[in-house]
Amino acid sequence: MSEKWLYWFEELNAGQNDLVGKKCANLGEMTRLGMRIPPGFAVSVDGYERFMAETGAGEEIRGYVLEHMADLKSIKNQVKASETIRGIVESKEMPAGMREELYHYYEELRKRAGMEEIAVAVRSSGAVSMPGQMETYLNVRGREAVVRKVIEVWGSAFTTRAISFRLEKGMPVEKAPIGVAVLKMVEAKAAGVVLTVLPTTGDTSKVVVEGNWGLGESVVSGEINPDQFIVDKESGCVECTVNQKTKMIVYHDSGTKTCEVPEENQCKACVDTEELNEIVRIAKEVESYFQAPQDMEWVLDFTACCPENLYWVQARTAKYSKVEEKEAEYLAELMTRLF
Amino acid sequence: MKVYDEVPAFEFDPERDFKQSPYWFLDSAHSVPAWTPMFGWFWVNLCRHGMQYGAEKLSLPTIKGWDWRFHRGGGFWCVLQTKSEEEKKKRESRFRKAILPFIQDYDGLWDSYVKDMTGRYDKLKALDLDQASNIELLENFEDTINTCRRMWEIHMIMTYGTYIAYVLFESMCRELIGIDESSPLFQALVTNSDNKVFQVNRELWEFSKRAREEGLAEIFLQSKPSEIRERLEESARGKEFMKDFMTLMNRYGWRMKRMSEITMPSWLEDPTPPLISVRQFLKKEEKFDFGEQQAKLREQRLEAESCVLSKVPGEQRSWFKRLMVLAEKSGTFSEEHDLYLDLYMHALVRRCVLGLGRRFAAKGALAEPGDVFFLIPDEVRKAAINPDQFDLRHIVDRRKAKWQEWQDSPNPPVLLKKDFEMDEAVKLLIQSMDPLALKAVVGTMPQVRPEFKADLYGTCGSPGVAEGVARVIRNEEDLYLVQEGEILVAATTSPNWTPVFSMVKGVIVEQGAILCHAAVIGREYAIPVLMNVAGGCSKIRTGRRVKVDANLGVAFIMDS
């Protein structure tokens, strides 16, 4: 087992999925690309394994699974197993050595950010992608809370689906290829996503930006009607749809809450032209670097000015309908009908 | 019993062949004037094979290619169609898959075919025909036949695939935006000058600029065309000029004055035709600029594209745009394929056949090398290994006499079964939905509209109106006579005619369809082209003023 289990993002790159999970490896790659991402560090898969070994949680889980193996075929029992295993993980304290190291990185992060007190997001970073399956904790403050949330993210690897998947494949149930990202929360004025392809048509000549006031989660979850800007990559021509945005997500204590958007802001675009241009400019650059349409998440910090206020928290290859293929088949069909 | 002479198995036999099809159209674009037996053999056998091969490989739902016959030096054809609904269904499901590569990666497909062919050409050229043994010569001949067969296979797969995309695009334009191929907007879309033919002409234009700069222009303008080369080589500067010019010919000179015959020298053997092109450019004003013209065309195309796209409903736009890009390639392809396929290949057929002719003449099998064009491959094989043992002169004498007769009394445009009318034949052709017949050969027949009181009626190949002095050209050799600002009148045109399109104000041709040479090049040079003008060459005389209104599909012969 490698001694080192904590890494600054700038120490990482896209090739290190297995070490720190996709999200962290990706944040590392983004840092290397020169994109502004919130400062932070990664907890590697080795960290998780060390925790499971040193606390005995791994052993306990193995025992539990062996005992209940016969019952684990039914969904009901899998749900129970998931709860139990999560309970086992979360009941453990962080081993003292690991705790000290985490404290140290958190303190260093505070210094790097130049703040007296720092709020961070603790996000899961699976090496195998299971979107929406693993937890993310926002607005986490204080070193003890950070330690707690890291353990909870580890626990969240034991979803019902993950358990049944590992059982089916004959993989050890207590092993989970999970990393954790700990990064500074951005004081979000507005946030959202940008795609360098129109996901519905597969039109790669356009960039679409969607955003809302507050944190990006409201846009990603699809609960509100965000502002939408469709920008032509070549001409820069913008098709702009400003929607009435009644709700937004903001920090609350050590988590988040949904609240009303102040009336004067509801029908106002959540990004200005300069900010929009900067978002599109960077998205296009990232796309051309990876040679593939990108799906990216951005945040505007209200404590800074454009372009220093633009932070990136995610960049991945966009998933969009395989219109190209379908279109070709459609054209072939039309040609057939000519005869 | 019919004695097969020139093209065994494919000579027209009215008794049997009218049972198969009530019409046989003359391929007037390629087989007028009449072919020699050797070239007729190559075309009828191998083009026929290529069409059926292409139709089968793509599994065209209702078309199985064309059948061909040889008759008095002419190629006559009819469309082969499927015979049952069941067969059509089966072919449809294969077609859907076979056409996909054209949609997914058209350029990749074409590039790989071009590479395949140029590789084969290089192999043929590698043999020094005059140093080769008799057996090597024969082998080169057999390889030439096989290469030519492959050329036609590729030619027809590409042509069918390309034209189908074009036909679909045109039909979608009618449906979604209410324009057809006669609309200037539509024509701006399929006008594309980014092709190899344009590039060759551009290089010839560069040579005309050099001739002007180096004081050689007078030689071009004052000499007889056939003497330009000789006169140039009298001076050191001219010699240098010709040396560089022949370097260009090594690359692009694998073509002949006539695309579909092998009796005339290639540009490499006799660069008079391209030298005439240089001379034509010298007659133009100095400020004429190729790059500018190309940029203008590109701009017009982009403008037309966005105009057309804006009329297409948003949810249809994506696939429509893709189809448009594909259809735009049809213009490029109809020009470029000649260069890489027909022109190049036939220049190589000439090279090899003439090499055999020289050998046969030296050994006494023939009186002179050119007589070999009056043989067919089986007769070549008969004498190839031991040409000193055979005398083939009697065959040549007989065929030459017939060939001369064909030259003197040309073929009719179509052979029809008794009581079968031309318009019925055209109707059958249109019903067949054969994209080649529709877009490159027959097109639509002109509408005679008495209200215009026109002297001649035709169809629009390239929009516009122009008036000028007529220049009737019946033979490519006379192309040098064309003067700036004239109206060109011809039966048909081919890539060798392209340079004069930059000089004339308008074009009238007796045949043609939207993707024929005259239409494609007319659009490139933005001059009106009126096609399918019946009897144009005889009704219009050189020197008369004519007015062409391609938009309305009419032409007027003005009072003198």
Side-chain angles (χ1 to χ4, degrees):
Chain A
M1 191 185 290
S2 142
E3 282 290 291
K4 185 172 168 70
W5 59 286
L6 294 171
Y7 298 85
W8 295 106
F9 290 146
E10 65 266 25
E11 295 177 81
L12 300 169
N13 63 53
Q16 287 167 312
N17 269 351
D18 292 342
L19 179 69
V20 290
K22 273 188 183 166
K23 180 180 283 291
C24 293
N26 199 235
L27 284 166
E29 188 74 21
M30 288 162 74
T31 313
R32 278 163 186 263
L33 266 181
M35 295 167 75
R36 188 176 300 102
I37 68 162
F41 59 89
V43 181
S44 76
V45 176
D46 294 334
Y48 162 82
E49 288 184 348
R50 186 166 152 197
F51 171 85
M52 297 299 266
E54 286 186 16
T55 60
E59 198 58 40
E60 265 179 67
I61 294 167
R62 251 196 311 277
Y64 174 85
V65 172
L66 264 177
E67 197 178 316
H68 296 86
M69 189 61 106
D71 310 334
L72 282 176
K73 292 218 166 72
S74 85
I75 293 287
K76 209 181 102 197
N77 290 335
Q78 284 176 1
V79 172
K80 210 175 137 213
S82 163
E83 279 169 15
T84 312
I85 296 173
R86 270 183 98 144
I88 294 172
V89 175
E90 286 173 17
S91 70
K92 304 296 178 210
E93 289 292 328
M94 188 70 79
M98 292 180 77
R99 176 184 298 265
E100 283 308 316
E101 280 186 75
L102 256 179
Y103 283 176
H104 173 74
Y105 267 74
Y106 178 69
E107 175 61 17
E108 186 64 29
L109 179 60
R110 187 191 64 76
K111 281 190 200 150
R112 284 183 171 208
M115 299 163 82
E116 297 212 343
E117 200 190 34
I118 185 168
V120 293
V122 181
R123 294 173 182 269
S124 67
S125 174
V128 186
S129 94
M130 286 202 179
Q133 296 259 339
M134 296 183 214
E135 296 290 344
T136 283
Y137 302 96
L138 299 175
N139 205 29
V140 180
R141 287 163 194 272
R143 59 187 200 174
E144 193 43 47
V146 170
V147 169
R148 227 21 268 158
K149 293 305 173 192
V150 168
I151 295 174
E152 283 175 29
V153 167
W154 284 339
S156 75
F158 295 93
T159 60
T160 312
R161 215 173 106 186
I163 291 172
S164 65
F165 177 81
R166 281 172 227 154
L167 282 173
E168 266 171 42
K169 302 276 163 185
M171 288 154 59
V173 172
E174 75 281 6
K175 295 254 183 193
I178 185 171
V180 184
V182 178
L183 60 166
K184 179 192 167 234
M185 290 293 291
V186 178
E187 305 282 326
K189 171 184 83 167
V193 297
V194 53
L195 277 102
T196 62
V197 54
L198 289 188
T200 46
T201 61
D203 180 355
T204 52
S205 71
K206 303 278 192 298
V207 176
V208 57
V209 179
E210 289 189 336
N212 187 20
W213 300 111
L215 296 168
E217 275 66 18
S218 68
V219 178
V220 179
S221 69
E223 278 161 31
I224 54 112
N225 216 359
D227 290 338
Q228 191 191 59
F229 310 88
I230 297 178
V231 185
D232 190 273
K233 281 181 194 166
E234 223 166 87
S235 68
C237 213
V238 186
E239 219 176 283
C240 177
T241 316
V242 177
N243 286 307
Q244 187 176 12
K245 304 167 289 294
T246 51
K247 297 212 161 41
M248 62 180 178
I249 295 174
V250 296
Y251 300 143
H252 177 68
D253 296 338
S254 151
T256 61
K257 68 166 186 186
T258 304
C259 73
E260 297 282 316
V261 175
E263 208 163 328
E264 70 271 23
N265 279 348
Q266 284 189 3
C267 294
K268 212 172 118 188
C270 66
V271 295
D272 64 29
T273 311
E274 201 184 337
E275 290 161 344
L276 179 67
N277 288 343
E278 183 66 6
I279 291 170
V280 171
R281 183 182 73 81
I282 303 227
K284 275 159 64 179
E285 272 183 21
V286 175
E287 177 188 53
S288 78
Y289 177 80
F290 286 112
Q291 295 283 304
Q294 295 294 303
D295 173 351
M296 303 161 61
E297 292 173 25
W298 53 268
V299 186
L300 293 172
D301 188 327
F302 63 66
T303 63
C305 289
C306 189
E308 276 79 33
N309 65 344
L310 175 61
Y311 284 90
W312 296 94
V313 291
Q314 175 73 277
R316 61 193 154 201
T317 304
K319 290 209 171 72
Y320 55 99
S321 68
K322 290 272 185 249
V323 176
E324 284 231 346
E325 238 164 77
K326 276 196 214 146
E327 250 175 28
E329 278 163 20
Y330 178 62
L331 286 174
E333 179 56 36
L334 288 178
M335 288 175 184
T336 311
R337 281 191 235 149
L338 282 176
F339 291 90
Chain B
M1 204 185 101
K2 162 96 180 148
V3 176
Y4 292 113
D5 193 11
E6 291 88 19
V7 186
F10 297 115
E11 279 172 35
F12 190 71
D13 175 358
E15 200 183 318
R16 304 218 170 269
D17 291 335
F18 279 138
K19 274 186 196 142
Q20 184 186 327
S21 165
Y23 68 84
W24 291 84
F25 280 101
L26 173 69
D27 176 8
S28 45
H30 302 111
S31 64
V32 175
W35 284 326
T36 54
M38 180 64 82
F39 190 76
W41 184 95
F42 266 88
W43 187 284
V44 170
N45 273 281
L46 303 180
C47 172
R48 178 180 178 280
H49 164 81
M51 294 183 94
Q52 294 184 23
Y53 178 95
E56 195 58 27
K57 277 280 170 183
L58 285 174
S59 188
L60 303 182
T62 57
I63 310 290
K64 304 186 97 173
W66 293 3
D67 200 3
W68 284 79
R69 291 293 177 272
F70 183 87
H71 178 62
R72 305 182 69 252
F76 286 84
W77 55 271
C78 68
V79 179
L80 295 172
Q81 288 178 266
T82 48
K83 288 183 172 161
S84 73
E85 194 57 27
E86 194 196 341
E87 190 183 8
K88 181 184 169 193
K89 282 273 165 318
K90 262 192 202 150
R91 292 174 72 89
E92 268 179 7
S93 64
R94 285 200 303 263
F95 170 76
R96 265 187 215 103
K97 290 191 187 75
I99 195 71
L100 274 178
F102 283 86
I103 303 168
Q104 285 162 336
D105 186 15
Y106 184 96
D107 294 334
L109 194 64
W110 176 225
D111 288 347
S112 71
Y113 281 144
V114 167
K115 230 187 234 146
D116 179 5
M117 284 318 296
T118 42
R120 288 166 193 261
Y121 297 157
D122 288 343
K123 272 189 209 151
L124 290 179
K125 286 191 286 188
L127 183 69
D128 181 338
L129 299 175
D130 293 318
Q131 300 300 317
S133 69
N134 292 343
I135 286 182
E136 284 171 328
L137 260 186
L138 178 62
E139 280 169 351
N140 191 266
F141 180 62
E142 301 293 358
D143 289 344
T144 299
I145 293 175
N146 289 334
T147 306
C148 190
R149 182 181 293 114
R150 183 62 188 149
M151 181 279 283
W152 280 117
E153 290 174 359
I154 289 172
H155 189 297
M156 289 306 162
I157 289 183
M158 281 305 297
T159 308
Y160 273 126
T162 306
Y163 282 20
I164 286 165
Y166 176 89
V167 172
L168 178 64
F169 180 60
E170 199 227 339
S171 116
M172 286 299 138
C173 278
R174 252 184 278 141
E175 202 167 306
L176 292 175
I177 30 188
I179 57 169
D180 68 7
E181 60 188 5
S182 65
S183 136
L185 187 60
F186 184 92
Q187 299 193 346
L189 288 178
V190 291
T191 302
N192 194 338
S193 58
D194 300 327
N195 65 54
K196 204 78 197 167
V197 177
F198 218 82
Q199 215 174 304
V200 175
N201 282 320
R202 194 190 170 120
E203 299 214 31
L204 293 177
W205 173 67
E206 298 285 353
F207 269 101
S208 79
K209 284 204 309 193
R210 175 168 160 192
R212 211 190 297 269
E213 280 158 18
E214 296 185 354
L216 299 169
E218 280 314 297
I219 297 181
F220 274 92
L221 296 170
Q222 304 301 333
S223 322
K224 272 194 198 157
S226 56
E227 289 166 3
I228 295 176
R229 181 181 190 172
E230 207 180 310
R231 293 275 324 273
L232 280 172
E233 285 178 341
E234 283 167 9
S235 73
R237 198 177 271 175
K239 246 190 199 131
E240 196 57 31
F241 182 96
M242 264 326 285
K243 204 181 124 216
D244 293 341
F245 195 76
M246 289 316 283
T247 309
L248 183 76
M249 289 303 109
N250 268 316
R251 246 187 308 152
Y252 297 125
W254 291 95
R255 52 196 285 180
M256 291 161 300
K257 285 184 196 167
R258 188 173 161 198
M259 184 170 76
S260 52
E261 181 53 281
I262 50 177
T263 50
M264 300 197 192
S266 66
W267 286 11
L268 201 57
E269 294 170 66
D270 173 10
T272 303
L275 286 172
I276 291 174
S277 298
V278 174
R279 168 194 169 119
Q280 304 288 32
F281 284 125
L282 281 169
K283 285 189 193 167
K284 295 187 77 69
E285 291 170 51
E286 256 189 275
K287 64 176 197 290
F288 172 78
D289 189 307
F290 242 96
E292 257 173 45
Q293 195 191 352
Q294 210 166 354
K296 202 175 114 201
L297 283 173
R298 195 173 301 129
E299 198 177 298
Q300 279 171 355
R301 193 174 79 241
L302 292 178
E303 219 170 273
E305 277 180 1
S306 58
C307 175
V308 164
L309 283 179
S310 72
K311 292 179 183 174
V312 177
E315 63 278 12
Q316 316 261 40
R317 209 168 287 160
S318 175
W319 65 259
F320 184 89
K321 186 173 173 192
R322 206 153 156 200
L323 177 60
M324 178 173 79
V325 171
L326 199 56
E328 284 174 1
K329 296 184 189 302
S330 60
T332 308
F333 175 77
S334 12
E335 274 299 286
E336 214 171 74
H337 84 271
D338 284 335
L339 213 58
Y340 289 116
L341 301 178
D342 318 30
L343 284 168
Y344 210 124
M345 185 66 232
H346 291 150
L348 287 168
V349 172
R350 173 181 164 86
R351 175 182 185 270
C352 172
V353 169
L354 208 51
L356 279 159
R358 286 195 298 274
R359 182 67 50 92
F360 280 20
K363 300 288 176 186
L366 292 174
E368 50 181 297
D371 286 349
V372 71
F373 302 130
F374 295 90
L375 301 179
I376 58 174
D378 271 338
E379 291 147 2
V380 168
R381 290 171 182 134
K382 185 178 175 185
I385 298 181
N386 294 302
D388 57 328
Q389 302 286 317
F390 301 90
D391 186 352
L392 304 174
R393 286 177 296 187
H394 65 287
I395 304 177
V396 172
D397 291 344
R398 185 179 77 230
R399 296 242 181 86
K400 249 189 188 166
K402 272 174 140 184
W403 180 78
Q404 195 52 55
E405 201 184 297
W406 303 336
Q407 303 297 319
D408 298 339
S409 60
N411 273 311
V414 61
L415 299 171
L416 294 169
K417 192 178 173 176
K418 194 166 174 285
D419 299 328
F420 200 77
E421 297 295 327
M422 177 72 167
D423 56 343
E424 287 176 278
V426 170
K427 217 167 114 192
L428 272 186
L429 218 53
I430 290 171
Q431 279 167 357
S432 79
M433 279 308 292
D434 181 289
L436 247 75
L438 254 45
K439 296 302 163 196
V441 183
V442 182
T444 43
M445 286 296 135
Q447 264 181 303
V448 174
R449 290 190 287 185
E451 69 270 24
F452 291 138
K453 297 193 174 62
D455 298 297
L456 299 155
Y457 294 88
T459 54
C460 176
S462 167
V465 182
E467 191 184 321
V469 176
R471 171 72 62 181
V472 183
I473 299 285
R474 290 173 187 274
N475 188 326
E476 283 182 9
E477 308 231 283
D478 298 331
L479 270 176
Y480 73 94
L481 294 170
V482 175
Q483 300 294 314
E484 183 89 31
E486 289 182 334
I487 305 283
L488 172 68
V489 184
T492 178
T493 67
S494 77
N496 292 332
W497 296 55
T498 303
V500 301
F501 277 66
S502 72
M503 304 176 61
V504 298
K505 280 207 248 165
V507 175
I508 295 175
V509 281
E510 292 185 338
Q511 288 139 12
I514 200 75
L515 291 180
C516 77
H517 175 266
V520 170
I521 302 300
R523 295 194 293 267
E524 239 161 59
Y525 286 93
I527 52 171
V529 175
L530 193 64
M531 315 181 295
N532 291 308
V533 179
C537 287
S538 40
K539 286 180 191 157
I540 304 172
R541 280 197 307 278
T542 294
R544 289 294 291 270
R545 279 195 86 74
V546 282
K547 184 177 170 186
V548 190
D549 186 336
N551 302 347
L552 297 180
V554 294
F556 302 92
I557 301 173
M558 316 297 274
D559 298 327
S560 48

